[in-house]
Amino acid sequence: HRGKHRDFVISALNDWKMIFDGRYKGIIRANALPMLYDLQEDSRELMDIAGAYPDIVAQLSETLESETREPKG
């Protein structure tokens, strides 16, 4: 994906993965429920809204997994 414009930012460390699409920040950890924050409305990340927006969690999770999957070779 080098050189390709992305509409999101991804970061990962150990079993933590994060994706930010300009508004929503999703955090996925192994063996834990996903977390979702609306950074336009909650810039301090005080309210996890993952339970209220499962469709956004699913979309961000799918993008995160496809972008961090090890290449087959």
Side-chain angles (χ1 to χ4, degrees):
H1 301 287
R2 205 168 282 228
K4 176 183 168 190
H5 173 75
R6 295 182 184 154
D7 293 326
F8 50 85
V9 175
I10 292 176
S11 181
L13 179 64
N14 298 324
D15 66 342
W16 288 76
K17 293 180 181 177
M18 183 278 302
I19 183 167
F20 176 61
D21 70 359
R23 177 171 185 172
Y24 295 103
K25 178 179 179 180
I27 301 171
I28 311 295
R29 295 182 301 149
N31 303 314
L33 292 174
M35 295 177 277
L36 180 69
Y37 300 95
D38 180 345
L39 297 188
Q40 284 184 359
E41 302 294 324
D42 178 23
S43 63
R44 294 176 57 202
E45 300 177 28
L46 299 176
M47 188 173 8
D48 177 5
I49 60 171
Y53 297 95
D55 54 331
I56 295 171
V57 171
Q59 180 183 7
L60 292 177
S61 296
E62 183 179 305
T63 301
L64 185 60
E65 289 304 314
S66 70
E67 291 293 320
T68 58
R69 188 176 302 125
E70 292 292 325
K72 294 179 182 178

